[in-house]
Amino acid sequence: MCGPYYSTTTRKQMNPSTKDQIEGTVHEVKGKVKETAGKVTNNPNLQAEGNAEKNTGKVEKKVGQIEKVFEK
């Protein structure tokens, strides 16, 4: 029982640009956590993996922002 607010017929689809921005933020945060964990545990591989994921998230957010401009 989802209720009237969660009905599949009335729910709006998320714009791809918004989805990219959200996913980018998630990747950026996960990357920061991994990077910090790598520093704390003195694990350069985890630190590098976190840094790469953080940068990927930043790029993904930018792509979403650019897409949003072209949606108008």
Side-chain angles (χ1 to χ4, degrees), residues 10-72:
T10 59
R11 186 169 43 181
K12 288 178 67 177
Q13 290 290 338
M14 188 181 306
N15 289 339
S17 62
T18 303
K19 186 177 177 184
D20 284 341
Q21 288 179 353
I22 291 170
E23 288 179 4
T25 300
V26 169
H27 283 255
E28 192 173 357
V29 170
K30 282 174 52 179
K32 286 179 184 178
V33 170
K34 284 182 182 179
E35 186 177 19
T36 302
K39 286 178 184 177
V40 169
T41 61
N42 199 23
N43 183 341
N45 291 333
L46 184 60
Q47 188 175 351
E49 183 182 327
N51 190 32
E53 188 167 1
K54 180 178 71 173
N55 290 333
T56 300
K58 286 181 180 183
V59 169
E60 203 167 14
K61 274 178 33 179
K62 271 296 178 206
V63 167
Q65 291 170 350
I66 292 168
E67 287 175 344
K68 191 168 211 92
V69 168
F70 288 111
E71 284 176 359
K72 296 180 181 181

